[in-house]
Amino acid sequence: MKMRAIIAFLAFLIVLTLPFLVSAGSGNILQSVQAPEIELPDPELGECVEDVSYMRANHMVLLKEERERAVRHGERGDYSLSNCFSCHTNITTFCKRCHDYAGVKPGCFEIEEGCHYAPTSND
Amino acid sequence: MSGLTLFYTAFTYIAIAIFLYGFLTRIWKYATTPSPLKIPLTPAPVQPAGAVYRIIQEVGFFKSLFYSNRIIWLAGYLFHLALAIVLIKHARFFFASTPVAFHWITTFEIWIGFIMLLPLLLLFLLRLVIDRTYYISIMMDYLILVLLMGIAVTGILTKYFVRTDIVSVKQFVMGLVQVRPEALPADPIFIIHFTLVMLLLIYFPFSKLMHAGGIFFSPTRNQVDDPRELRHETAWAAKG
C-alpha cells in the first residue's frame, strides 16, 4: 500500500520535473542557454529589407506571402528568397543555427521538403 | 538585468514551487487515502490487467464521458488532444535540444491553437445555455475556462498574428530551466501568455484541474472485481 503510493508519487514527480531533470542530466548546461551566434553578412551590402527585430520574428511570413504572390500571381518583389541569398549566403552559419536551437525546420529547402537549393558556399 | 526580468524570474520559480508542492501533496493524499471497500463500477474487470486497460480507456479516450454525453465528450476530447499536442510542441522551449521523439509532431502545422480554443468556447457556452449545468456551475468553473481561453488566444497571437522571436523566448525559458536567469523578451503578448500560464500553475493544485492526477486514483475505476477470490483488506483495518 505504502509502496504503491511512493511509486505513484515518484512517477508524477518525474513527469512534472522532466525539463529540469533532462537539463541537469544532459551535461550541456554550460553552453546551451545562450542563443547561438550567427554569421552576419558583410555590412557593406546594405540594409536588410526590414529591421532586425521584425525579421527575427516575421521572416517566414514575408517569404510565405512572397511565395504566394510569385507563384500564384506572378508578381515578384523584394522579399524573394533569391534576394535573401544575395547577402545571406550560407544556410549552415545563418539559418540553421537558430533553427536548430529552436527545433524548427526551415521550410524553404529541398532537404527539408521545401523547393529551393540551400546556399552552402560563403564566397 | 531589468526589474521586470527579476520580477518574472522570481514569480516563475514561486509559481513552479507552488504547483509542484501542491500537485505532489495532493497526489500523496490520493495515493494514501484508504479504500476500505471494494467498489468497482460494474461491469468491472476481474484481472489486474483489465483494471489497467480500463484506466487506459478512461485516460486515453474518456470512455465513461463518451457514454454519458457525446457533445461534452467531443469538446472535452478535442481540447485535451489539442492541449497534449500543444504541450509537446512547447517541448522545444524546455529542452536544450528538442527530443527526437517529438520531431514528427512539429512537421505538421494544423493551427492546433484553434482546435484548443473552439472546444473551450463550446464548453463555456454549454455551461450557460443548459439549465442544469448553469445551475451547478460556480464562478471557478468559468474562471478555469476563461484562463485556458486566455492562454490559447495569446498563444495563437504569438504564433500567427503578432509573431514573437522564439529564439529569445527559448533563451529566457532555458535560463529558467537551467537556473541561470536570462532577459525576459520584451514582447507584451508573450509576457501576458507567460503570466497566464504561471497563474494557471499556481491555481492548478487547488482546483478541479487536479483530475489530471486524480483520475488514476478513482476506486470505482481502478479496482479489480475479485472480492470473492481475494479477501480485501486495507492496511489500517487488517488484524495484527
Side-chain angles (χ1 to χ4, degrees):
Chain A
M1 177 64 201
K2 210 71 171 177
M3 199 60 214
R4 291 170 75 176
I6 292 168
I7 291 168
F9 181 84
L10 287 179
F12 278 98
L13 178 71
I14 290 169
V15 169
L16 294 179
T17 56
L18 200 60
F20 294 97
L21 295 177
V22 169
S23 191
S26 62
N28 56 0
I29 270 189
L30 295 177
Q31 74 270 29
S32 56
V33 175
Q34 291 292 334
E37 294 277 319
I38 51 175
E39 284 180 18
L40 296 173
D42 190 350
E44 287 173 17
L45 290 167
E47 296 277 299
C48 197
V49 288
E50 299 286 343
D51 63 56
V52 174
S53 62
Y54 182 85
M55 287 308 280
R56 281 199 177 149
N58 294 293
H59 60 277
M60 70 300 281
V61 181
L62 299 183
L63 286 169
K64 216 167 181 178
E65 286 175 358
E66 182 69 16
R67 183 192 66 188
E68 291 293 300
R69 274 199 296 276
V71 176
R72 303 264 159 88
H73 309 293
E75 302 159 7
R76 289 180 184 276
D78 287 342
Y79 297 142
S80 71
L81 200 58
S82 57
N83 195 23
C84 297
F85 290 172
S86 62
C87 305
H88 307 289
T89 51
N90 194 321
I91 186 178
T92 49
T93 58
F94 189 76
C95 316
K96 288 285 258 179
R97 288 199 181 156
C98 286
H99 272 264
D100 287 347
Y101 178 72
V104 183
K105 285 182 178 180
C108 303
F109 306 108
E110 47 159 6
I111 40 167
E112 317 281 3
E113 80 234 3
C115 307
H116 299 272
Y117 289 106
T120 46
S121 68
N122 231 347
D123 45 35
Chain B
M1 191 182 293
S2 75
L4 203 61
T5 298
L6 210 60
F7 171 78
Y8 266 92
T9 304
F11 176 51
T12 307
Y13 284 123
I14 291 168
I16 291 173
I18 292 172
F19 173 71
L20 282 180
Y21 179 78
F23 197 105
L24 290 172
T25 49
R26 290 292 287 265
I27 291 296
W28 184 253
K29 194 178 173 187
Y30 296 153
T32 54
T33 298
S35 50
L37 301 174
K38 274 280 182 184
I39 50 166
L41 210 64
T42 54
V46 294
Q47 297 288 335
V52 172
Y53 178 60
R54 189 182 201 177
I55 291 286
I56 290 171
Q57 284 179 309
E58 283 298 330
V59 175
F61 304 102
F62 309 174
K63 188 183 173 194
S64 49
L65 179 60
F66 181 77
Y67 286 113
S68 66
N69 190 320
R70 297 289 157 86
I71 294 174
I72 294 178
W73 176 84
L74 186 68
Y77 197 70
L78 273 179
F79 163 72
H80 281 83
L81 205 60
L83 181 66
I85 294 174
V86 166
L87 282 177
I88 292 171
K89 290 185 131 193
H90 276 69
R92 71 163 57 114
F93 298 111
F94 300 120
F95 300 100
S97 53
T98 319
V100 180
F102 293 167
H103 278 180
W104 64 272
I105 213 151
T106 62
T107 57
F108 63 98
E109 201 49 75
I110 48 172
W111 292 63
I112 196 75
F114 288 94
I115 303 178
M116 189 176 147
L117 178 62
L118 294 177
L120 287 172
L121 271 174
L122 182 62
L123 290 171
F124 191 89
L125 288 177
L126 285 175
R127 278 199 183 278
L128 289 177
V129 299
I130 299 174
D131 286 345
R132 285 184 303 166
T133 56
Y134 178 72
Y135 186 72
I136 60 167
S137 295
I138 57 170
M139 211 34 102
M140 288 308 170
D141 298 328
Y142 300 111
L143 178 78
I144 292 166
L145 289 172
V146 169
L147 196 55
L148 285 166
M149 279 192 275
I151 290 168
V153 166
T154 49
I156 288 166
L157 284 176
T158 56
K159 189 160 171 60
Y160 300 108
F161 299 106
V162 196
R163 285 171 185 255
T164 192
D165 172 21
I166 66 167
V167 169
S168 59
V169 170
K170 176 155 186 174
Q171 196 171 358
F172 171 65
V173 175
M174 286 310 297
L176 292 168
V177 170
Q178 302 187 338
V179 202
R180 53 176 69 229
E182 294 281 334
L184 179 75
D187 178 338
I189 307 282
F190 166 74
I191 293 174
I192 294 170
H193 182 67
F194 191 79
T195 309
L196 290 175
V197 174
M198 288 305 125
L199 291 176
L200 183 74
L201 283 190
I202 291 170
Y203 181 50
F204 200 106
F206 308 102
S207 70
K208 62 201 281 183
L209 295 171
M210 276 306 297
H211 70 268
I215 187 164
F216 294 98
F217 300 96
S218 319
T220 52
R221 314 283 171 201
N222 69 12
Q223 284 186 344
V224 183
D225 184 16
D226 58 359
R228 286 160 230 84
E229 291 78 19
L230 290 169
R231 184 172 165 79
H232 179 67
E233 284 181 341
T234 44
W236 56 271
K239 281 184 181 170

